[in-house]
């Protein structure tokens, strides 16, 4: 990649990062291209040259956001931490992340996810699913998951959550309950058992 291409890619990244920061703070609908341009230190024309429309920019922002979040989750899932520590971090980080997201951004993100053609779905199928299976195996080996539960059942359980979360009308309801739902997913209604 030559110097021109590097600068071009850096500008695109600056625009996407600026847009993500503004969208997460104010929501997609309330942020204008001019505000994004100002934050990214570029002209509005530059944004349109790179992304053609706000809708296309939003798609790039969603992909960038998913890649960022997945990179952190992947690092955690592949770490040497014991199963219970991984689960604690997954629950804690989800709870913290949710408090930093504008409700409108979350709703738009969930609407995109509900479309069935979301980038989230692609990352889930290709990368997350195998790592979650590995996590479940670790949980079984370390005594946190009943070894009698089949991987098929665990995957079905995971899929039920996934399918339900695709419903567009759930965004407002789910946002404040993310931490509870994550705990429920991993520990069931009986809660965490010590020992």
């Amino acid at each position: 990649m030559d110097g021109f291409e590097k600068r071009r890619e850096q500008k695109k990244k600056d625009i996407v990062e600026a847009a993500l920061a503004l969208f997460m703070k104010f929501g997609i609908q309330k942020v204008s291209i001019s505000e994004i341009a100002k934050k990214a230190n570029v002209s509005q024309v530059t944004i349109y040259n790179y992304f053609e429309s706000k809708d296309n920019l939003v798609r790039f922002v969603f992909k960038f956001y998913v890649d960022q979040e997945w990179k952190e989750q992947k690092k955690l899932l592949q770490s040497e931490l014991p199963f219970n520590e991984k689960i604690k971090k997954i629950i804690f980080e989800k709870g913290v992340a949710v408090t930093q997201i504008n409700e409108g951004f979350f709703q738009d993100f969930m609407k995109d996810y509900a479309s069935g053609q979301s980038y989230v779905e692609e990352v889930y199928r290709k990368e997350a699913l195998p790592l979650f299976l590995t996590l479940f195996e670790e949980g079984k080996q370390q005594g946190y998951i009943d070894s009698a539960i089949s991987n098929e059942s665990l995957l079905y359980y995971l899929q039920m959550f996934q399918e339900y979360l695709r419903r567009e009308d759930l965004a407002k309801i789910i946002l404040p309950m993310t931490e509870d739902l994550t705990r429920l997913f991993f520990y069931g209604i009986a809660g965490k058992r010590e020992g």
Side-chain angles (χ1 to χ4, degrees):
M1 188 182 295
D2 63 23
F4 175 77
E5 275 300 310
K6 283 182 183 175
R7 286 190 301 278
R8 179 177 162 76
E9 288 306 308
Q10 185 59 52
K11 265 189 193 177
K12 283 177 81 172
K13 186 177 183 220
D14 292 346
I15 293 165
V16 169
E17 287 176 344
L20 176 60
L22 291 168
F23 292 163
M24 288 183 79
K25 188 172 183 179
F26 302 108
I28 293 168
Q29 304 307 321
K30 293 187 179 179
V31 175
S32 68
I33 290 292
S34 65
E35 290 167 318
I36 296 167
K38 184 177 179 184
K39 185 163 181 70
N41 293 316
V42 298
S43 70
Q44 293 180 53
V45 172
T46 300
I47 293 176
Y48 285 112
N49 282 339
Y50 289 158
F51 300 100
E52 297 177 8
S53 68
K54 186 176 177 183
D55 287 341
N56 281 341
L57 175 58
V58 168
R59 280 191 277 284
F60 273 87
V61 168
F62 282 164
K63 184 180 184 305
F64 178 77
Y65 176 70
V66 168
D67 286 343
Q68 265 188 316
E69 293 296 312
W70 175 237
K71 184 179 175 184
E72 290 301 311
Q73 287 295 310
K74 188 175 175 179
K75 186 176 169 184
L76 173 63
L77 290 169
Q78 293 176 329
S79 75
E80 296 297 320
L81 289 172
F83 178 82
N84 63 330
E85 290 299 315
K86 287 181 183 179
I87 298 305
K88 281 180 190 174
K89 285 188 172 285
I90 289 170
I91 291 168
F92 176 73
E93 287 174 7
K94 273 196 177 222
V96 169
V98 164
T99 63
Q100 297 171 353
I101 298 175
N102 173 278
E103 187 178 334
F105 177 78
F106 183 77
Q107 288 174 341
D108 288 334
F109 185 80
M110 292 306 290
K111 187 176 183 179
D112 178 69
Y113 178 62
S115 73
Q117 297 177 10
S118 172
Y119 180 65
V120 173
E121 182 69 25
E122 182 182 328
V123 170
Y124 171 77
R125 270 193 331 273
K126 291 180 179 176
E127 297 187 47
L129 194 55
L131 286 180
F132 274 108
L133 283 174
T134 301
L135 179 68
F136 293 149
E137 285 304 315
E138 287 175 23
K140 287 178 182 182
Q141 290 169 2
Q142 295 173 24
Y144 291 98
I145 295 177
D146 184 344
S147 61
I149 298 174
S150 69
N151 284 343
E152 291 79 15
S153 296
L154 290 168
L155 287 174
Y156 186 73
Y157 189 57
L158 190 63
Q159 188 177 1
M160 285 189 311
F161 261 76
Q162 179 189 14
E163 292 295 324
Y164 194 70
L165 290 175
R166 279 187 174 178
R167 289 187 38 197
E168 184 181 326
D169 58 324
L170 292 178
K172 280 186 180 179
I173 299 166
I174 290 173
L175 191 58
M177 294 189 298
T178 302
E179 190 170 338
D180 285 347
L181 290 171
T182 305
R183 279 198 174 117
L184 184 61
F185 177 82
F186 284 109
Y187 299 125
I189 60 172
K192 182 180 174 186
R193 290 184 232 160
E194 297 299 325

